[in-house]
Amino acid sequence: MTRKPSVCQEIEPALLATAIGDADTATAARVEVHARTCAPCRQDLVRYRAIEDAVGAWRGAPAPAEELAHARLESRLAALRRRTLLYRIFPSPLGPILIARSEEGVSCVEYLTGGADFAHSRLSRDEGIEALLDGAEVEALYRDLLEYVEGRRTRLEWPLDLRLARSEFHRTVLETTARIPYGAVRSYAGVARELGKPSATRAVAQALRWNPLPIVVPCHRVIGASGALTGYAGNRVTLKQRLLAVEGVRTRPAHHDFRIERDAMYACAGTDAEYCVPTCGSLAERSLADLTLYASRARAEAAGLAPCTACRPDLHPISR
Amino acid sequence: MDAEGFDTLVATHHREIYRYLVRATFRASEADDLAQETFLRAYRAHRALPPDANARAWLFAIASNVAKNHFRAESRRRRAHTGVREIRIETDGAGPEGETLFKEARTVLDTVVAGLPLKQRLAFTLRKVHDLDYDAIGRSLACSPDSARAHVFQALRKIRRSLNGYELPVGRDDR
């Protein structure tokens, strides 16, 4: 192979750059001048430009099976999204709390009793879930929750994603519990009755034990028919007492537990549209399973109830 | 970047990323897998992407990494099966229809580009087919913009030498 003259060797990178349109005008002009008098370089320029043109045809040309590949990706991403949760762990007055949300809504609130670490979360043990740490998406939820726990907010109007429920029954229990108003309590038996399964009291209690959304789905408002709080988040019944206190529900300690002060609460029987003082008619004898109790008249009225026309709690409120 | 932004990203860039990977792997089925891998990685990381980032260059960088890893794993596999020194350029004629199409569309230039070393092939494709600048190519291939340019130039020299004697049809005669 013959060696190129040094001037051609020197100008080669510039020639290449010119051929593929990378060169500035001065360089391109210098190359053109040289190529005019140098046949081999002129030929190189032509060849590089031919490559450039041929490759140009590749631009924007669809690849084989492109739409198929695109459709496959879309469906795979959709599947991934359906099981992706964005979470973050926050400090709170109740200890470290993990909040997670999906595209559909809030899916998990968890007290991290083992420590403020994702490894302690139930989500870390669920293989069907892709949990991604995310700051922004759950930040607003945290602010709401904090206000709620501090008593500065009475509603958490978040869309809920109940897919972490373990069964259809579990899901229905959560939905029913979610409808118990702020500042009110019902019993496990009462929830079971509302579901049309009066014998499922223990199953209801068990379902709420696995509530994936404590606070948001207010299982703290569900208590034993005796008026005892009975249990919460493992053995943290004081948390339950505290959340109820925030909502104005008074309790007193009772043998490793707390008991609501039933005679200090307004009552609504079954699906009545009225609320009463606890001594109205035969209310005092009725089982808690039949009643919803309210911490105050304001709470009962916020739930859409009117004062009873017989006992007139509006005129004769409970005196303490 | 939010979820909607990511949808736009997929709609806008998946096809070109896929094309890039077809050029990198010579195979539609492999490019399909690698493009999915690229976008799944992107999905996991997109929330951390600043709003003013060049998302397109970012995706090409992920795709380049995925391609490099793919070939690294491939060469490990090949070393493990010593003696099986096949160079698989569309050997499975019974593959999906798309692969056959690609095979038929293959030109002399395709073949020559396919024979380039990986980095040069990727740099060349990023520059000449996808119009990335040398900064972006450098970021994609984990090298400086100058080395990125050197890869592209080296690729061109090799293509010219490989085409020696074979005249590409000259498309335009106005320069």
Side-chain angles (χ1 to χ4, degrees):
Chain A
M1 204 171 161
T2 50
R3 269 182 76 80
K4 280 184 180 176
S6 66
V7 56
C8 298
Q9 274 181 49
E10 263 167 43
I11 210 162
E12 193 265 358
L15 182 145
L16 236 165
T18 303
I20 65 169
D22 271 3
D24 55 45
T25 28
T27 309
R30 192 158 56 89
V31 170
E32 293 290 347
V33 167
H34 171 78
R36 230 172 273 155
T37 57
C38 174
C41 284
R42 193 159 61 237
Q43 204 179 12
D44 277 355
L45 203 53
V46 168
R47 283 189 178 140
Y48 280 128
R49 280 180 174 159
I51 296 171
E52 173 79 0
D53 283 350
V55 173
W58 292 356
R59 289 183 202 179
E66 187 170 292
E67 292 311 315
L68 187 65
H70 193 71
R72 266 195 213 136
L73 174 68
E74 296 260 3
S75 80
R76 195 153 167 209
L77 281 171
L80 179 65
R81 261 197 196 147
R82 273 197 295 279
R83 59 186 190 86
T84 299
L85 298 184
L86 306 176
Y87 76 92
R88 196 169 150 195
I89 296 165
F90 302 95
S92 89
L94 312 175
I97 278 187
L98 176 145
I99 305 178
R101 60 158 303 154
S102 69
E103 281 193 322
E104 292 176 20
V106 195
S107 36
C108 183
V109 170
E110 188 180 12
Y111 300 113
L112 295 180
T113 45
D117 190 331
F118 182 69
H120 293 111
S121 166
R122 61 202 279 176
L123 298 183
S124 72
R125 294 183 290 272
D126 192 330
E127 300 219 326
I129 288 174
E130 175 112 3
L132 302 178
L133 182 62
D134 187 280
E137 292 268 345
V138 289
E139 181 83 45
L141 301 177
Y142 168 63
R143 278 198 303 274
D144 286 359
L145 196 78
L146 213 51
E147 285 182 15
Y148 187 90
V149 168
E150 289 166 355
R152 290 183 286 128
R153 166 184 286 274
T154 61
R155 299 177 81 89
L156 293 172
E157 282 160 336
W158 306 339
L160 302 185
D161 176 358
L162 294 179
R163 281 177 305 164
L164 288 183
R166 296 172 168 193
S167 64
E168 202 44 45
F169 174 76
H170 194 184
R171 190 189 174 94
T172 337
V173 171
L174 296 176
E175 283 167 351
T176 308
T177 304
R179 288 195 294 271
I180 304 175
Y182 187 85
V185 293
R186 297 188 66 183
S187 65
Y188 295 105
V191 173
R193 272 190 206 186
E194 184 177 333
L195 292 174
K197 296 185 175 168
S199 63
T201 304
R202 294 185 77 91
V204 166
Q206 194 61 24
L208 290 180
R209 190 178 140 82
W210 294 109
N211 180 5
L213 288 160
I215 307 175
V216 189
V217 171
C219 58
H220 59 278
R221 296 179 196 151
V222 187
I223 61 174
S226 65
L229 302 194
T230 64
Y232 188 68
N235 56 354
R236 310 183 76 200
V237 77
T238 47
L239 261 183
K240 189 169 186 173
Q241 184 270 335
R242 191 167 165 180
L243 286 168
L244 287 173
V246 166
E247 301 187 10
V249 176
R250 274 186 290 218
T251 52
R252 58 191 146 79
H255 193 64
H256 302 305
D257 198 346
F258 294 86
R259 200 174 280 276
I260 56 149
E261 300 190 12
R262 186 170 162 179
D263 52 4
M265 297 185 80
Y266 294 90
C268 171
T271 53
D272 274 8
E274 295 183 340
Y275 68 95
C276 308
V277 295
T279 48
C280 179
S282 62
L283 270 184
E285 282 90 61
R286 288 178 76 168
S287 157
L288 236 177
D290 296 334
L291 308 174
T292 305
L293 302 181
Y294 291 88
S296 65
R297 287 176 48 215
R299 292 295 159 229
E301 285 174 20
L305 300 178
C308 167
T309 49
C311 67
R312 297 302 300 267
D314 48 334
L315 299 179
H316 313 288
I318 302 169
S319 57
R320 299 263 324 159
Chain B
M1 181 187 289
D2 56 12
E4 212 170 293
F6 189 75
D7 285 342
T8 315
L9 211 64
V10 173
T12 319
H13 299 301
H14 171 257
R15 288 176 184 82
E16 63 173 342
I17 292 291
Y18 173 71
R19 287 171 201 173
Y20 170 54
L21 290 167
V22 168
R23 295 253 162 238
T25 61
F26 331 119
R27 277 190 154 198
S29 59
E30 269 170 29
D32 186 350
D33 289 346
L34 298 188
Q36 287 197 27
E37 169 76 22
T38 301
F39 277 86
L40 294 183
R41 280 196 200 182
Y43 179 73
R44 290 189 180 101
H46 77 276
R47 285 179 191 84
L49 193 68
D52 58 341
N54 180 346
R56 183 172 181 262
W58 176 68
L59 285 173
F60 273 108
I62 299 176
S64 304
N65 260 320
V66 167
K68 279 193 281 182
N69 290 343
H70 168 76
F71 282 106
R72 209 172 294 143
E74 181 114 315
S75 70
R76 254 203 311 274
R77 254 198 315 277
R78 235 179 263 158
R79 271 201 302 279
H81 304 277
T82 40
V84 191
R85 280 210 67 246
E86 39 143 21
I87 295 170
R88 289 173 315 83
I89 300 179
E90 303 300 332
T91 47
D92 56 346
E97 183 187 6
E99 303 203 9
T100 326
L101 279 178
F102 187 46
K103 189 171 166 181
E104 280 166 10
R106 182 173 291 281
T107 65
V108 178
L109 188 62
D110 283 305
T111 316
V112 168
V113 171
L116 292 173
L118 182 64
K119 268 203 171 183
Q120 289 177 18
R121 187 164 77 242
L122 296 184
F124 178 79
T125 312
L126 289 173
R127 179 74 196 126
K128 300 319 301 178
V129 183
H130 299 288
D131 274 322
L132 260 63
D133 61 32
Y134 291 116
D135 279 344
I137 300 172
R139 275 198 300 279
S140 281
L141 302 177
C143 65
S144 67
D146 282 343
S147 335
R149 184 196 307 269
H151 284 314
V152 174
F153 278 31
Q154 206 50 38
L156 277 161
R157 291 187 187 104
K158 283 198 184 156
I159 295 169
R160 202 212 63 195
R161 279 202 297 275
S162 304
L163 288 174
N164 205 14
Y166 181 88
E167 292 295 331
L168 287 169
V170 180
R172 281 172 288 179
D173 54 3
D174 56 343
R175 20 178 216 194

